[in-house]
Amino acid sequence: MFDNLSQRLQLAMKKLRGEARLTEQNISEALREVRMALLEADVALPVVKAFIDDVRARAVGKEVLASLSPGQAVIKVVYDALVALMGESNDRLQLAARPPAVILLAGLQGSGKTTTAAKLARFLRERERRSVLVASADVYRPAAIDQLRVLAGTVGATFFPSTAQQKPVDIARAAVEQAGKSGIDVVIIDTAGRLHVDREMMDEIQAIHAAVDPVETLFVVDSMTGQDAVNTAQSFNDALPLSGVILTKADGDARGGAALSVRRVTGKPIKFLGVGEKTEALEPFHPDRMASRILGMGDVLSLVEQAQQTVDQEQARKLAQKITKGKGFDLEDFRDQLRQMEKMGGIASLMDKLPGAGEIPEAAKAQMDDRQTRRLIAIINSMTPQERRFPDIIRGSRKRRIAAGSGVHVQEINRMLKQFGEMQKMMKRLGKGGLGKMMRSMRGKLPGVPF
Amino acid sequence: MGLFNKTTRAKTDDAGNSVGFLGRLSDRLAATRRGLGQRLATLIRGHSAVDADLAEDIEALLLGADVGIEATRDIIGRITRAQARTPDEFYAELRAALLAIIAPCAQPLTISSDIRPYVIMVAGVNGAGKTTTIGKLAHRLRSEGHSVMLAAGDTFRAAAVEQLQTWGERNGVPVMAQSTGADAAAVAHDAMQAATARAVDVLIIDTAGRLHTQTGLMDELRKIKRVIGRFDANAPHEVLLVLDAGIGQNALAQLAHFDSAVGVTGLCLTKLDGTAKGGILFAMAEKHAIPIRFIGVGEGIDDLRVFDAAQFVDAILPQPE
Ligand SMILES: Nc1nc2c(ncn2[C@@H]2O[C@H](COP(=O)(O)OP(=O)(O)OP(=O)(O)O)[C@@H](O)[C@H]2O)c(=O)[nH]1
Ligand SMILES: Nc1nc2c(ncn2[C@@H]2O[C@H](COP(=O)(O)OP(=O)(O)OP(=O)(O)O)[C@@H](O)[C@H]2O)c(=O)[nH]1
Ligand SMILES: [Mg+2]
Ligand SMILES: [Mg+2]
């Protein structure tokens, strides 16, 4: 649906070849493209306007380095400005306080507070070896307290029981008191979802805050949020001394412009990203990655890291060896690669992160679903070892047998053999290839990203 | 006047530059916080002729409501071609155009009395408001005289079953449920069987929240639908996609993916009691007239309204006083 910003910029700035300096005039078209990209990514309009002004001020007068095209030069300015705005590095939780340190979570309905409470508890227990107590001050939503009780059990946090008949402020205060008595390090207080325009509910969260004096007051916000992010963030920031932001549901394909809006409006660091429903799905926030995601340039760095973590290093080494020794990339290797792909979260999750993924037509994307991967694996499974090693021998009757064995049409076998042939060529070109290596070699010369 | 306007705008920009980014931003936010109606009145009074500035201001209003670039451009383009002579005319044209886009979507859900059980499957991304909408919908249907049964098809999220059961108690309607971790399709199966045996009018099936990018979970949704279809080839009779009004451009992808997986037949837009305008519906409606059934305007049992196109346009572009 979205075009790749870097490509669009190259197009907009074609005329500029040879210009030595960025000027008000020669960047105006490029800035229009940047504005579009930001709006498509759901960055709020006032934030977009101010940001573009900021970029213009930074860009005008800049010399275009010999190594960059003017388009690349503009992207670099935009990207740097985005990263700078979102905070230079990833901010940690500040829990240095007389124990128990209190963390208060606040946000709109359904943004992910309760799930995040459990994720934080798990994170603090596992990574920082702290004891954690969680309490729910949500006396409104049906089964909200139950939800936290169950989650607390799964992450091994102490659960402070509360009931819908209590007052939220009393629950919060009692939870902290109890944690103090039992020598627990951290208390996480989950609160009901509330609208920023609901005076009574905003008063309530202020009262809770005053009662427990948290060291961290975190605003939990859905990364799919649209233009209204500025209004809600502003109101929560006015009502509470926020210390940070947690951006949830970042595992989807939203470009997450809300991150920029919220950061801009509150000035508070984004501390974590929620990347799934399970309690381990919490990641530290990286401004640079978010910047390339918002710009539609693909989260290439995360992909590289993910590949390094998941790709079986041993297998990758064997493959590299095989290829350097001049032995061809065969269907066994192809199957290994497909299996790796499945392990890395499937094609969809890879596609999201690749630069230029926006260029791929939706129809083509739909074909590249994970069932396709599984089907390819099934086809290869139906081959004899000899066929896998020497795919050239697969002709008429063999094709029919494989088709029957894997439950597909012969055309599909043809298509996959052709696809494999292309892949083989690419592997040859890569010489010492292998997925892991290929990914690693992308660092530093990311396509379309000049830095 | 148009010229005058341009110069004052340039001045604010100059001043803005000297205060720095944050100063300018808070000015702009102050403007956002001021009532939309008031802003509009000023906006129209400020222009004695239809000029590029007016179009730009209107564009900002639409973009700020999540209408999206593409739909906003289309809409403004159409209005510009209509050649309004005064800002008032321009504004009226704009309202008419928005209404024209969204009016065909105002198709209320009608429960056919020949079908029993009439099956409604509710789907959507995490936290959109599915379970709450079911609670409210059950209430509405009961008050219209239908007998209702609920099925707790969210077997994944902690206490999702208990949440739906509470809504069942509030409404005095039975809830078919298994334990967390059970197969959602099996829950749907049992519910279909029970609803048929007890001859209830309407069966509403809750499902777990899922992001449209999660192919495995989208397959699960297909499977639930298939199982329902075994009892009645036309069931589910309604596949209701629940969308949060606060959501931005991603809603388009959500509709496309859920539709291709299970064939969405209606939408419910929740949380319109906040300040989000849900303008994304225009971007959707521009592409095809997807029936919009309900809007959610609060967390209470009565807070579900039948979608009304004119009211919805009013929320984005209020009628100038
Ligand atoms: N995919 C995904 N889902 C998430 C994430 N965080 C939360 N969720 C899901 O979003 C839904 C809402 O999460 P909750 O934790 O109940 O949200 P909440 O803010 O506590 O909601 P209220 O208490 O009703 O305001 C649930 O289905 C969660 O499983 C995330 O990072 N990714
Ligand atoms: N203000 C407001 N809140 C709503 C509305 N509809 C739902 N909510 C709230 O939004 C939150 C999430 O609602 P749920 O019904 O649990 O959402 P869901 O889609 O079932 O969530 P999952 O099953 O976790 O994916 C709850 O706190 C609801 O009370 C609405 O129209 N207005
Ligand atoms: Mg909650
Ligand atoms: Mg639910």
Side-chain angles (χ1 to χ4, degrees):
Chain A
M1 185 162 24
F2 306 111
D3 298 322
N4 182 323
L5 177 67
S6 52
Q7 273 151 13
R8 268 186 357 204
L9 282 187
Q10 306 295 356
L11 219 72
M13 306 208 64
K14 255 204 179 111
K15 291 170 250 158
L16 289 188
R17 291 237 177 279
E19 297 222 24
R21 208 171 265 285
L22 297 177
T23 66
E24 184 93 40
Q25 285 75 35
N26 68 21
I27 59 169
S28 66
E29 203 177 324
L31 290 184
R32 257 200 304 279
E33 293 289 338
V34 174
R35 175 176 181 271
M36 291 245 288
L38 295 176
L39 284 170
E40 278 171 351
D42 293 319
V43 180
L45 190 59
V47 178
V48 171
K49 285 188 174 157
F51 178 75
I52 295 285
D53 288 349
D54 187 42
V55 167
R56 186 180 293 116
R58 280 168 182 249
V60 168
K62 265 234 161 77
E63 283 177 32
V64 177
L65 297 175
S67 57
L68 300 180
S69 73
Q72 288 173 321
V74 173
I75 292 194
K76 175 139 177 61
V77 175
V78 171
Y79 179 89
D80 288 347
L82 265 186
V83 174
L85 282 183
M86 278 188 294
E88 300 290 347
S89 68
N90 128 60
D91 276 275
R92 300 163 55 89
L93 289 176
Q94 303 298 331
L95 297 176
R98 208 161 55 87
V102 179
I103 301 177
L104 179 65
L105 300 179
L108 293 179
Q109 284 92 348
S111 62
K113 297 171 295 297
T114 308
T115 310
T116 302
K119 289 177 180 179
L120 283 174
R122 177 166 178 170
F123 177 88
L124 291 170
R125 277 174 45 77
E126 288 180 0
R127 307 284 178 85
E128 309 209 346
R129 309 261 155 241
R130 298 190 197 237
S131 52
V132 180
L133 175 143
V134 296
S136 170
D138 183 351
V139 298
Y140 310 99
R141 168 171 164 178
I145 298 172
D146 254 351
Q147 186 187 356
L148 188 67
R149 182 179 50 74
V150 172
L151 289 170
T154 65
V155 299
T158 306
F159 175 70
F160 179 82
S162 53
T163 71
Q165 282 70 47
Q166 287 172 281
K167 283 206 189 100
V169 177
D170 296 342
I171 296 172
R173 200 182 282 121
V176 175
E177 215 173 87
Q178 149 109 49
K181 277 193 209 132
S182 14
I184 283 173
D185 302 330
V186 183
V187 178
I188 302 175
I189 300 190
D190 179 24
T191 62
R194 64 201 71 226
L195 289 174
H196 57 294
V197 286
D198 188 334
R199 202 52 267 163
E200 247 170 71
M201 289 298 284
M202 292 308 278
D203 287 349
E204 182 200 273
I205 192 106
Q206 282 180 323
I208 296 176
H209 184 278
V212 297
D213 189 25
V215 284
E216 287 278 4
T217 303
L218 302 171
F219 179 51
V220 180
V221 59
D222 186 328
S223 59
M224 296 181 280
T225 312
Q227 295 284 321
D228 207 37
V230 279
N231 299 321
T232 51
Q234 181 82 58
S235 305
F236 274 92
N237 195 47
D238 288 348
L240 295 168
L242 299 179
S243 60
V245 174
I246 296 185
L247 199 64
T248 62
K249 308 179 200 170
D251 44 327
D253 61 353
R255 294 263 286 276
L260 189 64
S261 306
V262 172
R263 163 73 194 178
R264 226 25 273 179
V265 170
T266 64
K268 303 295 158 52
I270 299 170
K271 299 203 169 181
F272 291 98
L273 229 49
V275 292
E277 294 185 71
K278 305 224 171 92
T279 51
E280 74 266 20
L282 186 72
E283 286 180 359
F285 175 78
H286 295 284
D288 46 347
R289 296 178 187 178
M290 200 66 211
S292 46
R293 178 170 175 159
I294 290 176
L295 292 177
M297 299 197 301
D299 189 359
V300 178
L301 287 174
S302 302
L303 180 63
V304 170
E305 269 192 8
Q306 201 180 352
Q308 280 171 339
Q309 277 170 15
T310 336
V311 168
D312 184 331
Q313 296 296 332
E314 176 61 12
Q315 247 180 36
R317 197 183 51 76
K318 264 198 222 143
L319 181 64
Q321 241 176 20
K322 209 167 164 184
I323 293 173
T324 41
K325 277 191 190 146
K327 285 192 202 156
F329 174 78
D330 64 23
L331 279 167
E332 298 261 3
D333 303 319
F334 187 38
R335 187 176 55 180
D336 286 345
Q337 304 269 299
L338 288 171
R339 284 181 179 154
Q340 295 279 11
M341 193 115 81
E342 272 200 313
K343 262 201 250 170
M344 286 172 65
I347 297 195
S349 110
L350 281 175
M351 295 288 305
D352 277 348
K353 291 179 172 144
L354 280 175
E359 295 290 286
I360 300 171
E362 287 292 328
K365 259 191 212 165
Q367 279 184 356
M368 285 188 288
D369 64 4
D370 297 314
R371 271 182 307 169
Q372 175 79 357
T373 311
R374 284 197 290 276
R375 206 148 50 215
L376 290 177
I377 294 176
I379 294 176
I380 303 179
N381 283 343
S382 303
M383 297 176 179
T384 66
Q386 204 197 8
E387 286 165 346
R388 286 182 209 137
R389 227 163 305 136
F390 309 104
D392 286 344
I393 65 172
I394 304 176
R395 305 208 179 266
S397 67
R398 285 180 193 264
K399 272 183 197 165
R400 279 193 295 277
R401 194 204 75 239
I402 296 166
S406 52
V408 302
H409 288 293
V410 171
Q411 290 100 295
E412 212 156 333
I413 311 271
N414 290 334
R415 207 167 332 127
M416 101 81 97
L417 286 174
K418 190 163 161 242
Q419 205 179 340
F420 170 72
E422 266 149 32
M423 188 138 181
Q424 214 172 16
K425 266 186 242 153
M426 187 180 91
M427 286 298 169
K428 271 191 192 126
R429 261 204 315 267
L430 269 169
K432 318 163 193 168
L435 187 54
K437 189 118 182 192
M438 194 165 88
M439 294 295 179
R440 253 169 283 138
S441 70
M442 275 159 73
R443 208 195 265 279
K445 42 177 169 172
L446 313 176
V449 189
F451 25 84
Chain B
M1 190 72 169
L3 184 69
F4 173 66
N5 243 356
K6 268 194 193 100
T7 34
T8 45
R9 179 161 310 166
K11 245 189 211 151
T12 3
D13 264 9
D14 287 349
N17 277 331
S18 58
V19 220
F21 183 89
L22 272 180
R24 286 194 314 267
L25 181 62
S26 58
D27 279 348
R28 286 193 174 113
L29 288 178
T32 315
R33 278 196 300 271
R34 249 181 277 132
L36 201 57
Q38 191 194 334
R39 252 185 332 143
L40 271 170
T42 332
L43 193 153
I44 291 178
R45 242 182 282 121
H47 297 269
S48 61
V50 177
D51 54 13
D53 277 356
L54 177 63
E56 199 181 297
D57 287 344
I58 299 270
E59 182 193 72
L61 266 177
L62 296 178
L63 288 175
D66 289 317
V67 173
I69 291 194
E70 215 183 297
T72 296
R73 291 243 166 109
D74 277 4
I75 294 165
I76 303 257
R78 266 192 256 170
I79 308 309
T80 314
R81 283 195 294 282
Q83 299 202 324
R85 279 156 314 177
T86 66
D88 285 324
E89 265 177 42
F90 187 91
Y91 194 65
E93 287 282 354
L94 181 64
R95 284 179 47 90
L98 287 184
L99 195 58
I101 293 175
I102 208 87
C105 300
Q107 301 171 38
L109 181 69
T110 44
I111 309 281
S112 159
S113 53
D114 320 330
I115 303 168
R116 184 168 297 127
Y118 186 93
V119 182
I120 304 174
M121 175 169 129
V122 180
V125 298
N126 308 84
K130 294 174 292 299
T131 308
T132 309
T133 297
I134 291 172
K136 299 183 215 172
L137 182 56
H139 176 69
R140 167 175 286 272
L141 294 174
R142 291 272 296 135
S143 61
E144 286 169 3
H146 299 287
S147 62
V148 176
M149 177 185 279
L150 308 181
D154 181 353
T155 53
F156 178 78
R157 212 205 64 209
V161 173
E162 289 77 359
Q163 186 186 356
L164 191 72
Q165 276 166 340
T166 307
W167 280 109
E169 282 160 27
R170 284 181 187 177
N171 282 302
V173 302
V175 178
M176 298 304 295
Q178 295 177 19
S179 52
T180 304
D183 178 13
V187 175
H189 177 274
D190 289 359
M192 283 300 293
Q193 222 159 31
T196 312
R198 295 191 216 168
V200 299
D201 298 334
V202 186
L203 170 65
I204 314 178
I205 302 177
D206 193 10
T207 61
R210 67 199 77 219
L211 296 179
H212 52 286
T213 46
Q214 296 165 320
T215 37
L217 292 179
M218 293 306 278
D219 282 345
E220 183 199 79
L221 204 58
R222 284 192 189 92
K223 186 173 159 203
I224 297 174
K225 189 182 174 192
R226 255 198 325 273
V227 166
I228 298 170
R230 275 190 215 138
F231 290 81
D232 172 354
N234 295 321
H237 307 91
E238 172 83 349
V239 176
L240 188 70
L241 180 68
V242 177
L243 292 173
D244 183 329
I247 223 157
Q249 302 309 303
N250 194 245
L252 290 171
Q254 289 173 26
L255 174 61
H257 283 82
F258 275 97
D259 187 40
S260 85
V262 287
V264 173
T265 58
L267 296 181
C268 174
L269 193 70
T270 63
K271 310 186 196 174
L272 271 170
D273 43 328
T275 51
K277 293 286 171 307
I280 190 69
L281 279 191
F282 289 97
M284 294 177 167
E286 237 214 338
K287 297 213 164 85
H288 54 266
I290 173 97
I292 303 168
R293 310 296 197 188
F294 302 104
I295 58 170
V297 293
E299 299 179 79
I301 200 162
D302 287 318
D303 294 328
L304 190 72
R305 306 266 182 282
V306 171
F307 175 74
D308 177 328
Q311 260 175 18
F312 194 68
V313 171
D314 279 346
I316 290 190
L317 296 177
Q319 211 121 35
E321 292 90 52

